[in-house]
Amino acid sequence: MPEAAPRRPEFLRLADLVKEFGGIPVVKDANLAFNKGEFITLLGPSGCGKTTILRMIAGFERPTRGSILVEGKDISALPPNQRQIGMVFQAYALFPNMNVENNVAFGLKIAGMPAEQRRARVEEMLKLIGLSGYGKRYPFEMSGGQQQRVALARALAPKPRMLLLDEPLSALDAKIRVSLRQEIRAIQRDLGVTTIFVTHDQEEALSISDRIVVLNAGNVEQVGTPFEVYNRPATRFVATFVGTLNTLNATVLNVADRSVAVDGQAFQLAALPPGAAANAPLALTMRPEAVSLGKPNGQDVVLQGRVAEVSFLGSVIRLKVDLGQNMLSLDTFNDTHTPPPALDQRIEVSLNSSDILILPN
Amino acid sequence: MRRGKPWAWLVFVLGALYFMLPLVATIQFALSIRRGTYSLDAFTNVLYDAHFQESFVYSFIIGLCAIVVGVLIVAPAAYFVRLRLPRLRPIIEFLTLLPLVIPAIVLVFGYIRLYNTSSFINLTGSALGTDILLTFAYVALALPYMYRAVDTGLRTIDVQTLTEAANILGANTPTILFKVIFPNIIVALLSGAFLTLAIVIGEFTIASLLNRPAFGVYMQNVGANRAYEPAALAIISFIFTWVAMGMIQLLARFAPKTAPS
């Protein structure tokens, strides 16, 4: 199982963690190590097991096999109320009968904190989330973003040793999502609390995580920094799930000089996969931003094609280029002085052979 | 109601008359104890009757006990069924409907057979024991109403997420129930409570066969031996039910805020 080397002291370890529901495995032998103060994102499509892992860490689900170790101690058998973990839910889960103050103070009351200290801590938390003066409001009197910030304050108030965020931004609109995720990250950095964030949104994961764990069908596909996961995906699933990926069907021409052909256009690869044979098919993958219009920087792979689609995305223009049997997407910056190519126009595109990935299935 | 639909008004008036006329007739009869004039004598006769007060207070106390026991049994049961055993819901719903199909007389004979003086659990041997038995009988009788009221209340909140949110903040099950779940279904609990009280106040069969001085037994006695007082008693009974309904509405206003008013 892939695992990045810890840079900070290890805090949480999932060892051979398995979860089955009715005999069907949902999490398969997960071995993960999370470092103290790290912001880790569990990323994957629906049903990949990311929420199940989070719920096992929280104590809401019992692992079928394996263990969850916090600072070396197995907490698998501890009930959720003894784990000292804070959690923010997708549906906010604020107590509707309590105002903001009482919601934030709930965990502190349970912990037996004296009233005076409790008040001070609640005020401190409301200040931290930028909602000072909202203490007397009820959840139904607040917007989704405000409610989620209160939920964050409530989770952080008892100073948990770990913070779990279960798709906390999913129910919010796009603008609020972006601002709140930045706020969450800033608060997390400020407090240095080890945080595990669950999302299916790759942009969210890439933008705020120290490291990302990509999951697929209960398996850990890759663990790495956003840079590593995006630029050096370990599997085809990671490459396709995180970002957009072109896949070109090529044929090996000559193993000795590493030449291949795509729709009759030959070029050389940086390397061929082991066992490649002449005339064998080969799937080449590359990111749209690795492909350039024309040949601006002396790229070593040049292809000719016809513009099949032009999508204006604001700062970026995405083109689809028909190479014959294959379609290639490329992203180019929107240059206000140069209009994008027209539909059906014959164009030349280029890329570096080192940007071509040959991924295992 | 919009203009041009007089038939809608007609249906409304006919419906209102259907319910109101017998009530007006009963009030008129209750006020006619003196020949040729209206008077409140029938009401004062009833209200100042020591048996009325004793039986009413007795039924009221038994009703309160039934509410407390009922809430403590039904609310946690409905909560756990919804949270942990949702597959059992249809079975539980069927079981809670049984008191509606099993006649009270069958229920009380079953109780007497099970808890008589020669039984291992002798409840009918003492007044206190019989009162306890009567309380539990009323809990069973009100079960369909109490369960449905609580279940409807639980349906309006996200029981699982609220439970998990409280749990991860350190709360144990009793704290979750009393601080988070119950306050959010308080209106449903009050509805169940007042429906229980309304049932208990008028119940006759079980109280009579257990030989307890309940209000239902008193009403039956008055009905069998007097002319005008039963009508006055019926009106008092109605007023009590209306007050109970009004209390549900009134207390709901003081319930913890969960939504815009």
Side-chain angles (χ1 to χ4, degrees):
Chain A
M1 208 62 64
E3 197 175 298
R7 285 156 291 173
R8 288 175 266 203
E10 185 181 298
F11 179 74
L12 171 70
R13 175 171 283 274
L14 310 182
D16 304 318
L17 202 65
V18 174
K19 179 66 189 177
E20 292 173 358
F21 287 114
I24 299 162
V26 178
V27 175
K28 302 167 190 168
D29 277 320
N31 282 290
L32 295 164
F34 305 121
N35 303 325
K36 203 166 182 75
E38 235 186 343
F39 194 110
I40 296 267
T41 296
L42 305 182
L43 174 69
S46 299
C48 70
K50 56 189 188 300
T51 298
T52 307
I53 291 180
L54 199 78
R55 291 176 62 77
M56 283 193 281
I57 297 170
F60 298 138
E61 302 287 352
R62 285 205 111 175
T64 307
R65 281 189 297 281
S67 48
I68 300 165
L69 304 149
V70 174
E71 292 177 317
K73 284 182 190 160
D74 193 348
I75 60 159
S76 314
L78 274 184
N81 59 347
Q82 288 173 26
R83 293 195 181 197
Q84 293 172 277
I85 290 175
M87 187 160 174
V88 177
F89 299 82
Q90 185 180 343
Y92 320 136
L94 293 180
F95 307 129
N97 56 311
M98 297 179 201
N99 62 20
V100 167
E101 261 176 24
N102 290 334
N103 261 287
V104 177
F106 187 83
L108 305 173
K109 256 188 206 172
I110 301 277
M113 185 184 270
E116 203 51 47
Q117 286 178 36
R118 207 162 61 214
R119 263 194 294 277
R121 180 73 179 152
V122 168
E123 200 40 58
E124 185 190 345
M125 294 318 296
L126 292 182
K127 203 173 164 191
L128 183 75
I129 56 160
L131 287 177
S132 294
Y134 283 69
K136 299 292 176 206
R137 291 210 189 175
Y138 280 85
F140 69 85
E141 296 172 317
M142 308 181 91
S143 69
Q146 287 172 329
Q147 286 189 53
Q148 201 56 298
R149 280 193 277 166
V150 174
L152 181 66
R154 183 181 65 178
L156 290 170
K159 297 186 179 167
R161 51 183 179 173
M162 195 186 334
L163 178 66
L164 308 179
L165 306 167
D166 186 9
E167 306 211 31
L169 309 172
S170 301
L172 305 173
D173 62 59
K175 253 190 169 171
I176 304 285
R177 283 172 82 126
V178 174
S179 65
L180 192 54
R181 82 183 180 211
Q182 287 163 348
E183 264 183 66
I184 288 174
R185 183 56 164 141
I187 290 170
Q188 187 271 338
R189 273 209 185 101
D190 228 32
L191 303 177
V193 61
T194 309
T195 302
I196 303 172
F197 180 79
V198 160
T199 184
H200 59 264
D201 185 326
Q202 39 113 356
E203 190 199 320
E204 227 164 68
L206 292 169
S207 65
I208 58 171
S209 317
D210 285 323
R211 284 194 298 152
I212 297 173
V213 177
V214 186
L215 292 146
N216 179 33
N219 293 305
V220 176
E221 295 266 337
Q222 187 174 3
V223 183
T225 62
F227 185 85
E228 287 165 349
V229 167
Y230 188 81
N231 294 311
R232 291 197 288 277
T235 63
R236 182 176 294 273
F237 172 80
V238 176
T240 50
F241 189 74
V242 183
T244 313
L245 194 74
N246 285 300
T247 303
L248 302 180
N249 295 314
T251 309
V252 178
L253 295 179
N254 190 321
V255 178
D257 68 359
R258 306 181 307 278
S259 62
V260 295
V262 172
D263 292 330
Q265 303 184 60
F267 54 90
Q268 279 181 312
L269 292 177
L272 280 174
N279 298 320
L282 192 63
L284 310 178
T285 59
M286 72 264 337
R287 297 285 184 200
E289 63 271 23
V291 185
S292 303
L293 200 56
K295 197 182 169 189
N297 298 313
Q299 287 92 336
D300 57 346
V301 176
V302 181
L303 297 164
Q304 311 283 332
R306 181 184 60 80
V307 176
E309 200 178 302
V310 181
S311 307
F312 187 76
L313 306 175
S315 60
V316 169
I317 295 168
R318 176 159 291 178
L319 302 175
K320 279 195 174 169
V321 182
D322 187 356
L323 302 174
Q325 300 295 315
N326 290 283
M327 193 70 81
L328 180 69
S329 287
L330 72 95
D331 288 347
T332 181
F333 282 114
N334 174 22
D335 179 354
T336 48
H337 305 292
T338 316
L343 272 178
D344 288 329
Q345 189 182 330
R346 294 288 305 176
I347 57 166
E348 190 179 74
V349 296
S350 61
L351 70 159
N352 288 314
S353 56
S354 57
D355 289 332
I356 296 173
L357 306 163
I358 302 165
L359 297 166
N361 278 317
Chain B
M1 210 162 291
R2 282 187 298 168
R3 270 190 195 178
K5 289 195 174 173
W7 56 269
W9 278 105
L10 186 69
V11 170
F12 174 75
V13 170
L14 283 175
L17 284 176
Y18 180 81
F19 287 105
M20 295 305 290
L21 274 180
L23 202 61
V24 172
T26 309
I27 294 171
Q28 199 203 11
F29 185 70
L31 295 173
S32 308
I33 194 167
R34 291 187 193 201
R35 193 170 294 236
T37 179
Y38 288 130
S39 85
L40 293 169
D41 287 2
F43 289 90
T44 49
N45 289 348
V46 167
L47 291 172
Y48 286 103
D49 182 355
H51 288 113
F52 167 85
Q53 291 162 11
E54 282 164 15
S55 63
F56 188 84
V57 169
Y58 175 84
S59 283
F60 192 78
I61 291 169
I62 293 286
L64 289 183
C65 293
I67 288 167
V68 171
V69 175
V71 166
L72 289 178
I73 291 174
V74 173
Y79 166 76
F80 282 112
V81 166
R82 193 158 267 279
L83 190 69
R84 304 258 178 248
L85 305 161
R87 281 187 202 165
L88 282 185
R89 265 189 74 205
I91 297 165
I92 301 290
E93 281 189 8
F94 172 75
L95 288 175
T96 60
L97 281 176
L98 286 179
L100 287 181
V101 289
I102 297 172
I105 196 155
V106 174
L107 197 72
V108 72
F109 275 120
Y111 282 142
I112 290 169
R113 196 175 169 80
L114 272 174
Y115 304 110
N116 62 27
T117 45
S118 56
S119 154
F120 177 65
I121 308 166
N122 171 13
L123 286 176
T124 55
S126 66
L128 179 67
T130 316
D131 289 344
I132 291 169
L133 189 57
L134 186 64
T135 302
F136 279 94
Y138 286 157
V139 170
L141 214 58
L143 194 62
Y145 309 99
M146 182 62 93
Y147 181 81
R148 254 144 212 81
V150 172
D151 195 50
T152 306
L154 288 172
R155 218 175 288 173
T156 62
I157 58 172
D158 186 347
V159 172
Q160 187 175 342
T161 314
L162 289 178
T163 299
E164 288 177 354
N167 198 203
I168 199 97
L169 286 164
N172 55 20
T173 304
T175 309
I176 295 169
L177 278 174
F178 286 96
K179 300 259 178 183
V180 177
I181 302 298
F182 290 172
N184 283 303
I185 59 164
I186 191 78
V187 177
L189 290 174
L190 285 173
S191 302
F194 283 114
L195 284 170
T196 303
L197 199 60
I199 291 166
V200 171
I201 290 294
E203 203 285 329
F204 165 74
T205 314
I206 298 174
S208 168
L209 287 165
L210 287 177
N211 196 26
R212 300 311 298 146
F215 189 60
V217 179
Y218 169 77
M219 282 204 292
Q220 195 276 337
N221 280 337
V222 171
N225 301 310
R226 307 271 186 89
Y228 296 94
E229 282 80 355
L233 211 45
I235 299 302
I236 292 169
S237 242
F238 268 122
I239 291 170
F240 178 80
T241 308
W242 290 333
V243 168
M245 299 293 178
M247 288 297 280
I248 296 175
Q249 299 295 322
L250 188 71
L251 290 177
R253 289 189 186 184
F254 297 103
K257 289 180 188 175
T258 56
S261 49

